[in-house]
Amino acid sequence: MSEPLFARVALIGLGLIGSSLCHAMRREGLAGHIAGHARSGRTRETAIGIGLVDSIHETAAEAVRDADLVVLCVPVGVCGVVAEEIAGALKPGAILTDVGSVKGAVVRDVAPHVPDGVHFVPGHPIAGTEQSGPESGFAELFDERWCILTPPPGADEEAVARLEAFWQRCGSSVERMTPEHHDLVLAIVSHVPHLIAYNIVGTASDLETVTQSEVIKFSAGGFRDFTRIAASDPTMWRDVFLLNRDAVLETLGRFSEDLAALQRAVRWGDGDTLFNLFTRTRAIRRGIIEAHQDAPAADFGRRHGKQEPGES
Amino acid sequence: MSEPLFARVALIGLGLIGSSLCHAMRREGLAGHIAGHARSGRTRETAIGIGLVDSIHETAAEAVRDADLVVLCVPVGVCGVVAEEIAGALKPGAILTDVGSVKGAVVRDVAPHVPDGVHFVPGHPIAGTEQSGPESGFAELFDERWCILTPPPGADEEAVARLEAFWQRCGSSVERMTPEHHDLVLAIVSHVPHLIAYNIVGTASDLETVTQSEVIKFSAGGFRDFTRIAASDPTMWRDVFLLNRDAVLETLGRFSEDLAALQRAVRWGDGDTLFNLFTRTRAIRRGIIEAHQDAPAADFGRRHGKQEPGES
Ligand SMILES: NC(=O)c1ccc[n+]([C@@H]2O[C@H](COP(=O)([O-])OP(=O)(O)OC[C@H]3O[C@@H](n4cnc5c(N)ncnc54)[C@H](OP(=O)(O)O)[C@@H]3O)[C@@H](O)[C@H]2O)c1
Ligand SMILES: NC(=O)c1ccc[n+]([C@@H]2O[C@H](COP(=O)([O-])OP(=O)(O)OC[C@H]3O[C@@H](n4cnc5c(N)ncnc54)[C@H](OP(=O)(O)O)[C@@H]3O)[C@@H](O)[C@H]2O)c1
């Protein structure tokens, strides 16, 4: 195996993303040593117990000491606090990045704490599942996915390129954009879809005319796919909505406007409007399959014998 | 293999549901002979070519002649027309059923055409995928799923019990309810979720600030799961919304009301309301997994090495 990309990497937060990074780094031999920290003793014990990290530390500051790359893998609402905690312990020349699902607020909260000589390059891998915790990670999470970096103007190009190489070795393609644009894009491809999924599951559990047991039994009608999305970590998602408020509200406004028009089509029996929309939406689906961002095989809640071409 | 449950079964419509029924009937030896009809010559050729049916017929009336069980597997909007076409050819004592996603309107449109001595027992298997056509079916579609029957008051109990046995042999559990209740239940577990999925995909493709190529690239953020649902057959779904209008509008009203409250929580930074909803929705997810209506393994658009217990 060739020289590791970073002699020492520190991860703060060892949940789905942190633990997946550990697996991916080991698969690729990217880190000479992985140091870790998580809030609870329980997660710290698990992380060292199952061999995610080479050393585990009681505080974030201890974990980052001497690290060449520090990755914040905590909910976006605490990135600022953590940055403040570790600021004094960061090694000059180190790269500091994060994986948070919101970028504008993280830059606002973290940047003021970053000492001179440390390269802060915010990031966000567009890859995830609805599961969380140190045992939910796997090396393939980032394969064939995209990672967005939002380097600030004047960022050290060598540092950005090294971080880019890191994500590429983890299996991802990298795209750069501004934090503002990131937050707009994510509002439509992730945040509003999650909000809608949480909302419909809430509506379903509050109906008086349909029982919860009926909702569960007959969920294969489509509902179950929304519950999967609505099973994601509540803390992570609360923080996302609090911190990407403007883009979420703007996108939600569009969604509601469009939904009102669709509702009107249903009320007035306007089959052509419905048919046209339902035809138009298939093109995006095809694009997603061609871009390998989803498998073409039908998902119906369990595996069946037939495998579609392109699936592994 | 024991005696088939029905000597001759006729299927009108040979798409996802019709072809899956063919596979399931063959697996279980449920039919002595399967006769089929579909609208287009192309589907009829495929159906006989790949051995879905034992005989293929140019008209629906020819297909149902002498059949002991007739299953309408066409979009709900044409069930009435098809019933009128076949009425004169139905064998006395035959069971006529359907698989339509709406029940009130199908009963309204079909019942007037059913001759005396033919047992009309409407049905709806709560199982599907986003794919369609004669080659999309597979025998396991109905395994561990539910099928709802809505026998009219005074229905022949023996006929209902035989149809119940049929669906059980296809792998499903059977529940009886009124068409009105069925339509309410399906509005929340299937119809409104599909409408919302179609809507968000439409919203995404109309944004000026985010390009279509960005939406596709970064769809792994959650959006791609909605495109899967929004790839379902446009004709089938247009018919569903036109024919289950009242229950869809009522449920959609609840959804929008709840979404307005959630929007307000985002606007005012009410993290507790968000956190509480996001926690509450996990309980339904657990119920669905315990009821085997979805697999617990995380789905991220491709298979990974780890299999969860309970998956096959
Ligand atoms: N899940 C996704 O699909 C996804 C995708 C892309 C990006 N992200 C982003 O990735 C980040 C982490 O998400 P995740 O899914 O990995 O979450 P997770 O599985 O819930 O893990 C969060 C980790 O952060 C730790 N943590 C929380 N507060 C902390 C604090 N104050 N100090 C130190 N550690 C703390 C937790 O420790 P304990 O275990 O001790 O509580 C846990 O190890 C979030 O910013 C999220 O927006 C998530
Ligand atoms: N898809 C699901 O997830 C699902 C689940 C449960 C119930 N359902 C219900 O099942 C029924 C069929 O859906 P599907 O998914 O199987 O649809 P599909 O794959 O699109 O197949 C529909 C079939 O109906 C035929 N057809 C259409 N109009 C006809 C007419 N006037 N006369 C004769 N045949 C006609 C089509 O023939 P051509 O191929 O020649 O066009 C095709 O074979 C619908 O009522 C739907 O509500 C669907």
Side-chain angles (χ1 to χ4, degrees), chain B residues 14-17 39-40 43 73-75 99-101 124-125 127-128 132-133 236:
Chain B
L14 295 163
L16 172 69
I17 303 297
R39 182 180 42 183
S40 67
T43 297
C73 305
V74 296
V99 297
S101 307
H124 179 204
S132 52
M236 166 186 161

Side-chain angles (χ1 to χ4, degrees), chain B residues 27-110:
Chain B
R27 183 185 70 181
E28 300 294 321
L30 297 182
H33 178 103
I34 304 177
H37 166 73
R39 182 180 42 183
S40 67
R42 187 155 168 217
T43 297
R44 293 198 297 268
E45 272 162 38
T46 304
I48 191 83
I50 65 175
L52 285 179
V53 293
D54 298 308
S55 63
I56 192 81
H57 305 266
E58 298 250 322
T59 70
E62 280 170 41
V64 305
R65 210 169 295 282
D66 266 334
D68 307 286
L69 174 68
V70 174
V71 191
L72 306 183
C73 305
V74 296
V76 285
V78 297
C79 282
V81 183
V82 171
E84 195 176 353
E85 269 175 50
I86 61 173
L90 290 167
K91 169 166 138 181
I95 297 174
L96 171 65
T97 188
D98 75 307
V99 297
S101 307
V102 178
K103 295 272 64 81
V106 167
V107 170
R108 182 196 65 202
D109 295 348
V110 170

Side-chain angles (χ1 to χ4, degrees), chain A residues 53-74:
Chain A
V53 293
D54 299 307
S55 64
I56 191 81
H57 305 266
E58 299 250 321
T59 70
E62 280 170 42
V64 306
R65 208 169 296 282
D66 267 333
D68 307 286
L69 173 68
V70 174
V71 190
L72 306 184
C73 306
V74 296

Side-chain angles (χ1 to χ4, degrees), chain B residues 254-265:
Chain B
R254 300 286 186 122
F255 172 84
S256 296
E257 220 171 279
D258 292 348
L259 190 62
L262 209 50
Q263 182 167 348
R264 197 168 186 282

Side-chain angles (χ1 to χ4, degrees), chain B residues 134-209:
Chain B
E135 288 172 299
S136 61
F138 50 98
E140 301 80 12
L141 181 64
F142 309 110
D143 286 344
E144 278 201 271
R145 293 291 172 263
W146 287 83
C147 181
I148 295 175
L149 299 182
T150 66
D156 182 77
E157 179 51 37
E158 204 191 308
V160 181
R162 265 182 94 190
L163 188 60
E164 224 165 56
F166 175 84
W167 280 109
Q168 283 161 352
R169 293 280 297 277
C170 288
S172 298
S173 303
V174 176
E175 183 140 319
R176 301 185 191 188
M177 58 180 74
T178 64
E180 295 70 34
H181 190 63
H182 167 278
D183 289 355
L184 266 180
V185 172
L186 268 289
I188 184 69
V189 298
S190 180
H191 305 171
V192 169
H194 275 81
L195 199 70
I196 292 166
Y198 280 119
N199 191 66
I200 184 93
V201 178
T203 302
S205 54
D206 290 343
L207 293 176
E208 319 82 33
T209 45

Side-chain angles (χ1 to χ4, degrees), chain A residues 277-299:
Chain A
L277 173 66
F278 300 170
T279 306
R280 199 153 68 86
T281 49
R282 296 183 121 179
I284 287 202
R285 174 80 191 154
R286 273 193 299 275
I288 287 173
I289 290 170
E290 279 159 22
H292 297 285
Q293 296 308 299
D294 205 351
D299 170 39

Side-chain angles (χ1 to χ4, degrees), chain A residues 126 128-131 135 137-138 140-141 143 145-146 148 175 177 181 184-185 188-190 192-196 198-201 203-210 212 214-235 237-238 241-242 245 249 252 254-255 258-259 262-263 266-267 269 271 274-275 278-282 284-285 287-288 291 293-304 306-307 311-312, chain B residues 126 128-131 135 137-138 140-141 143 145-146 148 175 177 181 184-185 188-190 192-196 198-201 203-210 212 214-235 237-238 241-242 245 249 252 254-255 258-259 262-263 266-267 269 271 274-275 278-282 284-285 287-288 291 293-304 306-307 311-312:
Chain A
I126 314 300
T129 77
E130 73 280 10
Q131 305 187 334
E135 287 171 300
F138 50 100
E140 301 81 11
L141 181 65
D143 286 344
R145 293 290 172 266
W146 287 83
I148 296 175
E175 182 140 321
M177 57 180 75
H181 189 63
L184 266 180
V185 172
I188 184 66
V189 299
S190 179
V192 169
H194 275 80
L195 199 68
I196 291 165
Y198 280 119
N199 191 64
I200 184 91
V201 179
T203 303
S205 54
D206 289 344
L207 294 176
E208 319 82 30
T209 46
V210 177
Q212 189 121 333
E214 287 175 320
V215 167
I216 289 172
K217 267 187 195 169
F218 306 125
S219 59
F223 182 75
R224 70 166 175 220
D225 297 323
F226 291 76
T227 65
R228 180 190 287 282
I229 297 170
S232 303
D233 186 64
T235 305
W237 283 98
R238 178 201 58 202
F241 294 113
L242 295 178
R245 192 185 61 178
L249 289 177
L252 202 52
R254 300 286 186 122
F255 172 84
D258 293 346
L259 190 61
L262 210 49
Q263 182 167 348
V266 172
R267 190 178 300 283
L274 299 174
F275 189 86
F278 300 170
T279 306
R280 199 153 68 86
T281 49
R282 296 183 121 179
I284 287 202
R285 174 80 191 154
I288 287 173
Q293 296 308 299
D294 205 351
D299 170 39
F300 68 119
R302 56 186 135 47
R303 310 279 156 85
H304 57 90
K306 296 170 38 167
Q307 292 234 144
E311 267 200 321
S312 57
Chain B
I126 313 301
T129 77
E130 72 280 11
Q131 304 187 335
E135 288 172 299
F138 50 98
E140 301 80 12
L141 181 64
D143 286 344
R145 293 291 172 263
W146 287 83
I148 295 175
E175 183 140 319
M177 58 180 74
H181 190 63
L184 266 180
V185 172
I188 184 69
V189 298
S190 180
V192 169
H194 275 81
L195 199 70
I196 292 166
Y198 280 119
N199 191 66
I200 184 93
V201 178
T203 302
S205 54
D206 290 343
L207 293 176
E208 319 82 33
T209 45
V210 177
Q212 189 120 334
E214 287 175 320
V215 167
I216 288 172
K217 266 187 195 169
F218 306 125
S219 61
F223 182 75
R224 69 166 178 221
D225 296 322
F226 291 76
T227 66
R228 179 191 285 282
I229 296 172
S232 303
D233 187 64
T235 305
W237 282 98
R238 177 200 59 199
F241 294 114
L242 295 179
R245 190 185 64 175
L249 289 177
L252 202 52
R254 300 286 186 122
F255 172 84
D258 292 348
L259 190 62
L262 209 50
Q263 182 167 348
V266 172
R267 190 177 301 280
L274 298 174
F275 188 86
F278 301 171
T279 306
R280 200 153 66 86
T281 49
R282 299 183 118 177
I284 287 204
R285 174 80 190 153
I288 287 173
Q293 296 307 300
D294 205 351
D299 170 42
F300 69 117
R302 58 184 132 50
R303 311 277 157 84
H304 56 91
K306 294 170 41 167
Q307 292 234 143
E311 268 202 319
S312 58

Side-chain angles (χ1 to χ4, degrees), chain A residues 12-18 37-40 43 73-76 78 82 99-101 124-125 127-129 131-133 233 236 240:
Chain A
I12 310 303
L14 296 163
L16 172 70
I17 302 296
H37 165 74
R39 182 181 42 180
S40 68
T43 297
C73 306
V74 296
V76 284
V78 298
V82 171
V99 297
S101 307
H124 178 205
T129 77
Q131 305 187 334
S132 53
D233 186 64
M236 165 188 161
V240 165

